[in-house]
Amino acid sequence: MDNRRQIILDTETTGLYPNAAENPDRLIEFAGLEMRNRSFTDEKLHLYVHPQRDIPAEAAAVHGITLDKLEGKPVFAEVAQQIADFIRGAELVIHNAKFDVGFLDAEFARLGMPGVEDLGCTITDTLAMARERYPGQKNNLDALCNRLGVDRSRRVLHGALIDCELLGGVYLAMTRGQFSLTDAFEQEDDDTPQTTAPQPADHLPRPVGVKLKVLAADSEERAAHEAFLDQIDKSCGGTSIYRADAGSAQQ
């Protein structure tokens, strides 16, 4: 069973440039939802942060957060340790991780604190995963929710908390194939005899210690398979490669 501590993480900011020489952009919202064993736990951290600067209208139009709404909220220095303790040692699952990690690192650096990787975190970037899986297609969060059947009807504006919830669904959908077999067939009794089936070279490595049940076809299923091969032989006017391979394997 995979018991890694994962944090689905998102931020909202005043803009795009956390390291600008003058009036750098700042973090104004942080959200992190803990996931273990591919399920959200009750552990989460959601904070609004006063940026100590203005929020441009074009940024507010995206996330709906104005400076008035942040009146009385803590500045980053007041919540920095809370954020660091929450993410420490976890795998951070982030969409376009370079952006969010860049802002967190810049905020920590202003206080002389360790950056994200120095806190022992590893990063999984779902944008990079999506670009590899769906090259040439839109891979923003909205597009992935539509493609993968994740309900985004509650998302009117960008918001760190709702985006974390949606990203968790997207991440689970994109990685489901890596876990479905082990989730379905994992056995609790470690003393049960194991039959190991060969895996193709390009198959994902099987997690250590996981035992998979191998279910043999019954006579009815074998007969149906042979009838299907008969149809293939007839259509190609000879012996199909499936039977040829089977004959080679038996020699």
Side-chain angles (χ1 to χ4, degrees):
M1 183 175 289
D2 186 353
N3 197 35
R4 290 174 298 170
R5 183 172 183 261
Q6 297 175 297
I7 302 295
I8 313 298
L9 187 151
D10 190 52
T11 65
E12 298 297 339
T13 69
T14 63
L16 304 175
Y17 307 106
N19 296 306
E22 296 183 9
N23 200 25
D25 284 308
R26 304 293 299 272
L27 182 147
I28 57 175
E29 185 183 8
F30 173 93
L33 303 179
E34 185 185 72
M35 182 180 287
R36 290 183 185 269
N37 301 322
R38 298 178 61 76
S39 297
F40 284 123
T41 72
D42 292 331
E43 295 295 320
K44 66 180 180 181
L45 181 63
H46 182 218
L47 301 166
Y48 287 103
V49 181
H50 195 287
Q52 300 177 282
R53 55 151 289 168
D54 65 307
I55 301 177
E58 57 269 25
V62 173
H63 47 58
I65 302 174
T66 63
L67 203 56
D68 289 342
K69 292 183 178 180
L70 298 179
E71 189 67 33
K73 299 299 182 182
V75 299
F76 190 84
E78 297 176 80
V79 298
Q81 192 61 54
Q82 187 179 6
I83 292 174
D85 291 343
F86 181 72
I87 67 174
R88 189 184 308 275
E91 175 189 0
L92 306 182
V93 179
I94 310 173
H95 199 67
N96 192 13
K98 183 177 180 180
F99 179 87
D100 300 87
V101 172
F103 266 90
L104 286 170
D105 281 347
E107 294 284 4
F108 286 140
R110 291 186 187 98
L111 302 172
M113 295 177 62
V116 169
E117 291 190 359
D118 292 329
L119 290 169
C121 300
T122 57
I123 310 297
T124 294
D125 189 345
T126 51
L127 178 59
M129 292 171 58
R131 284 173 172 169
E132 182 176 351
R133 178 170 294 193
Y134 311 113
Q137 301 184 51
K138 287 185 177 180
N139 288 307
N140 58 38
L141 190 56
D142 283 340
L144 289 172
C145 286
N146 292 339
R147 189 175 302 140
L148 298 168
V150 176
D151 181 13
R152 63 179 184 89
S153 59
R154 294 188 298 119
R155 190 195 199 212
V156 179
L157 294 169
H158 287 260
L161 187 59
I162 182 62
D163 284 1
C164 281
E165 294 173 1
L166 297 179
L167 181 57
V170 164
Y171 171 76
L172 291 174
M174 285 202 296
T175 58
R176 186 171 293 127
Q178 300 178 22
F179 298 91
S180 58
L181 283 177
T182 55
D183 289 345
F185 298 116
E186 186 174 7
Q187 298 176 358
E188 296 181 359
D189 185 0
D190 290 338
D191 296 327
T192 303
Q194 178 181 0
T195 302
T196 303
Q199 294 181 325
D202 61 350
H203 195 279
L204 289 169
R206 180 179 300 160
V208 175
V210 174
K211 300 177 181 180
L212 303 181
K213 294 178 182 179
V214 178
L215 304 178
D218 59 28
S219 58
E220 183 177 344
E221 291 169 330
R222 290 196 297 270
H225 178 65
E226 289 299 321
F228 181 68
L229 293 182
D230 288 340
Q231 295 178 13
I232 296 177
D233 290 347
K234 184 177 180 180
S235 63
C236 69
T239 301
S240 69
I241 60 172
Y242 303 102
R243 281 197 167 122
D245 288 345
S248 299
Q250 293 174 356
Q251 291 177 358

